[in-house]
Amino acid sequence: MTPFDRGAEWNVNQQSQITPKNGATPKIRLRGLRKAFGDKVVLDGVDLDVRAGHSMVILGGSGSGKSVTIKCILGLIEPDSGLIEIDGRDVAKLSPDERAAILDRTGMLFQNGALFDSLPVWENVCFKLLAQRRITRAAARDRAAEVLEQVGLAASVGDLSPSELSGGMQKRVALARAIAAQPDIIFFDEPTTGLDPIMGAVIDGLIVDCVKRLGATAFSITHDMASARRIGDDAAMIHKGKIVWSGPASSLGETGNEMVDQFARGEREGPIQMELRK
Amino acid sequence: MTRFLDFLALTGRGLISTCRTLGGVSLFALAGASHVVRPRFPFRQFWRHFVEIGYFSLAVVALTALFTGMVLALQSFTGFSRFNAESAIASVVVLSVTRELGPVLAGLMVAGRIGAAMAAEIGTMRVTDQIDALTTLSTDPMRYLVAPRLLAATLAMPLLVVVADILGVFGGFLIGTVKLGFVPQLYLMRTFDVLQTMDVVSGLVKAAVFGFLIALMGTWCGYNSKGGAQGVGQATTRAVVASSILILALDYVVTEAFFSR
Ligand SMILES: Nc1ncnc2c1ncn2[C@@H]1O[C@H](COP(=O)(O)OP(=O)(O)OP(=O)(O)O)[C@@H](O)[C@H]1O
Ligand SMILES: [Mg+2]
């Protein structure tokens, strides 16, 4: 089944239960995560649980530290303090090999794509499979064509170089690369930014598909409320370095939390004031 | 008094940051080089860089060496004729080219060509998150980006210098015979009479050291660049300047090690 004919199933996950089952270890648990660049505090004690097999959507203004949060979880940025647990294990205490093992099962879509421009698209898409020696180079081309089709790109795109693609196409190739190795945990940093609404909906469907069919845990950042409701089971909002609200994604817009509702409706007036970034 | 303390503090800070950089570069070099002998060395990448350095720098290095040999013959002729030592020209050319000018000039040319390219490529990868992406794609950037470049440059530079040696000597031969009227056989005889294995070997060792330095500076500066296009530009400049200076400095060290007995 391709993600294209899954539209109807989005409703299902909108009704899913949010309250974590008692005792179930969250896939990702953040406690008191802090990070400052120089004297600019970006994360100021982030607490967050992401349930295994569910999809979490993070909202927040531009520059509020969403991307930094993901990079901290992945170990690409060392947080100043705080706890990061994946599957109940403190990542700070893991050996480099154990960290690598976690990354082996993780997919990440970078906000700007971060495609390797020295490699053709198909090698980008299957980079992880090739790096892990799970596939031969010949098989990788076919696999790349398959995944490219899932993100709505023709197989012939595989032979192009990333610099020959439009911004939205690059985004979709990056998405294909993030999911090609069928990871357990997938991070999407603004997966649908820069796509047209229809393609955005297709990509949302694909993300839902990854979570539902592969049982993956998804952690997405988005500014698009329709998209957040479609892909999210849970949602959380980050503001001034803290999580100010979390709850079911389906309630976005009528959460009763003034900040979230202002953000969801995109109103100028409200508790969140546009600040000049320092 | 406070002036003096300020001065001390400044010197101390400079020293500390120098030590930190030196330590950082050494660890970086060790980490990169260790992947050459560890499993899953990326041979495809290695080959790409080996061809880029060894093959595509040939023309630049060859031209440099050829003209250097020619100039050398001409200069020493006009200089040496003042005390009737023209016959030493062949030996001067071959010894300077194999021992010094071949490796150093090839090193400087490759530093400009390859060191800059490495810093720019890796720097761009850094500022566009591609290095982070490598990490999330089960690939150690030190293994994938740094190790193959270090090995490729270390192996390719001696090959380039062999070519430089030959063309440098040929340049001298050309001027010597065509312009200065030496008998070709005699010129060649003089050339190979003075040449010893050690002259060539020391030049090739220098070449390998320079190759390693060029790749090390290129990858290090690129790897640690930050802040967009401007940062990448700075990294590139820094890589070329640092490797050029280091080439000249280490040239002295290696020469000392080989010939000061
Ligand atoms: N490597 C870095 N060095 C210094 N400051 C940084 C770095 N990375 C991020 N920042 C700062 O941290 C803040 C948060 O950045 P981040 O990329 O997480 O924002 P974001 O929430 O993802 O915003 P957007 O929605 O625009 O992508 C920004 O103000 C940024 O200037
Ligand atoms: Mg961001």
Side-chain angles (χ1 to χ4, degrees), chain A residues 22-53:
Chain A
N22 279 339
T25 336
K27 193 76 180 174
I28 302 169
R29 183 211 297 271
L30 306 180
R31 286 293 175 270
L33 196 63
R34 278 167 194 282
K35 177 72 193 175
F37 292 103
D39 49 9
K40 181 179 158 58
V41 179
V42 177
L43 302 182
D44 188 16
V46 169
D47 301 324
L48 191 67
D49 284 346
V50 182
R51 297 183 293 157

Side-chain angles (χ1 to χ4, degrees), chain B residues 72-95 172 176 180-194:
Chain B
L72 209 55
L74 205 56
Q75 281 282 18
S76 36
F77 180 76
T78 50
F80 287 5
S81 60
R82 288 180 204 160
F83 34 94
N84 300 323
E86 295 98 329
S87 56
I89 290 177
S91 350
V92 167
V93 169
V94 72
L95 290 187
L180 307 176
F182 282 87
V183 181
Q185 287 85 343
L186 203 65
Y187 188 98
L188 286 183
M189 215 177 72
R190 288 248 164 80
T191 300
F192 290 109
D193 270 356
V194 289

Side-chain angles (χ1 to χ4, degrees), chain A residues 96-148:
Chain A
D97 281 349
E98 287 171 316
R99 273 193 185 213
I102 290 181
L103 287 177
D104 281 347
R105 295 182 290 109
T106 306
M108 164 77 183
L109 165 70
F110 285 85
Q111 185 166 6
N112 59 11
L115 296 172
F116 304 128
D117 34 34
S118 59
L119 300 177
V121 166
W122 71 268
E123 245 185 291
N124 265 286
V125 172
C126 288
F127 194 92
K128 189 163 194 159
L129 292 168
L130 288 167
Q132 296 177 353
R133 307 259 163 98
R134 276 158 63 180
I135 195 170
T136 63
R137 288 180 72 80
R141 276 176 173 272
D142 297 337
R143 172 76 185 138
E146 223 172 86
V147 190
L148 283 173

Side-chain angles (χ1 to χ4, degrees), chain A residues 111-192:
Chain A
Q111 185 166 6
N112 59 11
L115 296 172
F116 304 128
D117 34 34
S118 59
L119 300 177
V121 166
W122 71 268
E123 245 185 291
N124 265 286
V125 172
C126 288
F127 194 92
K128 189 163 194 159
L129 292 168
L130 288 167
Q132 296 177 353
R133 307 259 163 98
R134 276 158 63 180
I135 195 170
T136 63
R137 288 180 72 80
R141 276 176 173 272
D142 297 337
R143 172 76 185 138
E146 223 172 86
V147 190
L148 283 173
E149 193 193 330
Q150 288 189 351
V151 296
L153 292 171
S156 58
V157 172
D159 291 318
L160 300 177
S161 144
S163 58
E164 292 172 283
L165 305 179
S166 76
M169 288 164 88
Q170 289 183 5
K171 194 94 194 188
R172 284 183 277 160
V173 172
L175 185 77
R177 183 175 73 178
I179 61 175
Q182 308 199 320
D184 274 3
I185 313 176
I186 323 180
F187 296 90
F188 300 105
D189 198 342
E190 307 198 3
T192 52

Side-chain angles (χ1 to χ4, degrees), chain A residues 71 74 76 103-104 106 108 110 112 114-119 127-128 131-133 137 177, chain B residues 40-41 44-45 48 121 124-125 127-139 144:
Chain A
K71 288 184 178 174
L74 287 167
L76 300 172
L103 287 177
D104 281 347
T106 306
M108 164 77 183
F110 285 85
N112 59 11
L115 296 172
F116 304 128
D117 34 34
S118 59
L119 300 177
F127 194 92
K128 189 163 194 159
Q132 296 177 353
R133 307 259 163 98
R137 288 180 72 80
R177 183 175 73 178
Chain B
R40 296 171 65 195
F41 178 76
R44 188 178 298 273
Q45 293 296 313
R48 185 190 133 206
E121 188 178 351
T124 307
M125 292 185 73
V127 301
T128 56
D129 285 341
Q130 291 180 50
I131 295 187
D132 285 346
L134 277 177
T135 309
T136 67
L137 292 168
S138 306
T139 304
Y144 186 79

Side-chain angles (χ1 to χ4, degrees), chain A residues 195-217:
Chain A
L195 300 181
D196 64 77
I198 298 173
M199 194 43 74
V202 170
I203 296 301
D204 287 345
L206 190 69
I207 293 172
V208 173
D209 201 48
C210 284
V211 177
K212 288 283 167 285
R213 193 157 53 90
L214 305 177
T217 306

